[in-house]
Amino acid sequence: MGNTEFVIEPGRQDIFMIHVFDAPRDVVFRAVTDPELVPRWWGPRFLATRVDRMDARPGGRWRFVNIDAKGGEYGFRGVYHDVVAPELIVRTWEFEGTPGDVALETIRLEEVAGGGTRYVAQSVHPSVESRDAIVRADGAKGGRDSMERLAELLRSL
Amino acid sequence: MGNTEFVIEPGRQDIFMIHVFDAPRDVVFRAVTDPELVPRWWGPRFLATRVDRMDARPGGRWRFVNIDAKGGEYGFRGVYHDVVAPELIVRTWEFEGTPGDVALETIRLEEVAGGGTRYVAQSVHPSVESRDAIVRADGAKGGRDSMERLAELLRSL
């Protein structure tokens, strides 16, 4: 299964990222919520990922760090509002390089005919401008890499 | 000091609510983060408020309940992403009557000349439609009542 679809409408404050995986929903949910698995798929291919903290329950905190080839670190952090296995994750999301620009990310996992899972992530941003800055910084590339890497990981689980 | 100002632009996903209080910033911050004080100002005047839970720190959870004259209860809940005294609170916000419509609320407290405090709350919603539903349900009335009640409380602290 296929490509990652983005819906980024002019003037809105959100980004939708959608990918259909050829894997059961509970397996996709595990890959998204297991701190041991996240480094194997989260982030752009050219960066490593370290999970500093990931407590996937309401009120739990998370912090992921992307690491470049020279050892430079880029931190991301937030808190979980809801974690409902195997279908829903709602969490805040902040890149530490642009403090104060906090987004709300909702990930829904939907069963599709044939045994696959549709991953629908919506991130809502504080302004159209902060959303568009992420799009300009090629945030879609990071998302697409993550979805492709997750598909590869799911084939091995 | 004065009226509560709302900024609700067509087509956006957010609501700004702004009020200038005649009180120092640390006192306003305390009123907003102290679970003993919240029932004295939070919500519309015609409803009582009970604080079931309020742990104002990153990862802390909150749940407030509005209670009507017949004993009917209306719950609201979320988690804190950031709490930085005396200037910033970022938290998620969900009315339990419309589950899944999670908003992100950012409250900034700014010092103004003369010793007052500008309270600027932005709530960002998952869609224009869910934002507008809150506006239609007279959410601004609840916000305005809260700001006026908070001004009254601050005069007594």
Side-chain angles (χ1 to χ4, degrees):
Chain A
M1 296 185 184
N3 296 324
T4 305
E5 177 191 356
F6 289 88
V7 180
I8 305 172
E9 289 184 13
R12 282 183 64 106
Q13 289 165 248
D14 56 8
I15 298 172
F16 284 89
M17 181 176 74
I18 302 155
H19 193 104
V20 178
F21 294 102
D22 187 15
R25 183 160 70 158
D26 61 331
V27 178
V28 179
F29 183 84
R30 179 161 74 89
V32 173
T33 54
D34 182 340
E36 300 289 322
L37 295 177
V38 166
R40 296 172 61 184
W41 67 269
W42 195 85
R45 284 189 193 276
F46 64 95
L47 298 174
T49 295
R50 182 180 78 233
V51 172
D52 267 0
R53 164 182 229 163
M54 186 181 184
D55 187 11
R57 58 168 184 81
R61 299 169 73 175
W62 65 273
R63 183 172 191 263
F64 302 164
V65 181
N66 272 159
I67 306 159
D68 67 23
K70 294 180 174 172
E73 299 203 348
Y74 309 88
F76 300 81
R77 69 178 178 92
V79 296
Y80 290 93
H81 172 90
D82 264 336
V83 179
V84 183
E87 64 197 47
L88 178 69
I89 297 156
V90 183
R91 63 183 173 193
T92 62
W93 198 101
E94 183 174 11
F95 171 46
E96 293 171 357
T98 54
D101 267 0
V102 185
L104 186 71
E105 182 182 45
T106 298
I107 300 169
R108 292 179 203 281
L109 301 179
E110 304 164 355
E111 294 186 303
V112 296
T117 301
R118 182 182 293 110
Y119 177 110
V120 180
Q122 179 194 29
S123 58
V124 188
H125 297 267
S127 65
V128 179
E129 294 70 26
S130 62
R131 182 200 71 164
D132 289 349
I134 287 174
V135 174
R136 278 196 306 276
D138 219 1
K141 168 81 169 100
R144 184 174 285 113
D145 274 9
S146 293
M147 293 294 96
E148 289 177 358
R149 295 175 66 200
L150 178 52
E152 292 160 16
L153 171 64
L154 290 167
R155 283 194 282 275
S156 75
L157 293 181
Chain B
M1 296 182 182
N3 296 323
T4 305
E5 178 191 354
F6 290 88
V7 180
I8 305 171
E9 290 184 13
R12 281 183 65 107
Q13 289 166 249
D14 56 9
I15 297 171
F16 284 89
M17 181 175 74
I18 301 155
H19 194 103
V20 178
F21 294 103
D22 186 15
R25 184 161 69 160
D26 60 333
V27 178
V28 179
F29 184 82
R30 180 161 72 89
V32 173
T33 54
D34 182 339
E36 300 289 323
L37 295 177
V38 166
R40 295 172 63 184
W41 69 268
W42 195 84
R45 286 191 193 275
F46 65 95
L47 298 174
T49 296
R50 183 180 76 233
V51 172
D52 268 1
R53 163 181 233 166
M54 185 180 185
D55 187 10
R57 56 167 185 81
R61 299 169 73 175
W62 67 273
R63 182 171 191 264
F64 303 163
V65 180
N66 272 161
I67 306 160
D68 67 22
K70 293 180 174 173
E73 300 201 348
Y74 309 88
F76 300 81
R77 69 177 178 92
V79 296
Y80 290 94
H81 171 89
D82 264 337
V83 179
V84 183
E87 64 196 49
L88 178 70
I89 298 156
V90 183
R91 63 183 174 194
T92 61
W93 197 103
E94 183 173 11
F95 172 46
E96 294 172 356
T98 55
D101 268 0
V102 185
L104 186 71
E105 182 183 42
T106 298
I107 300 169
R108 293 179 203 279
L109 301 179
E110 304 164 355
E111 293 185 306
V112 297
T117 302
R118 183 182 294 110
Y119 177 111
V120 180
Q122 179 193 30
S123 58
V124 188
H125 297 267
S127 66
V128 179
E129 294 69 27
S130 62
R131 182 200 71 163
D132 289 349
I134 287 174
V135 175
R136 276 196 307 277
D138 219 2
K141 167 82 170 100
R144 185 173 285 114
D145 275 8
S146 293
M147 293 294 97
E148 289 176 358
R149 295 176 66 200
L150 179 52
E152 292 159 17
L153 172 64
L154 290 167
R155 284 194 281 274
S156 76
L157 293 181

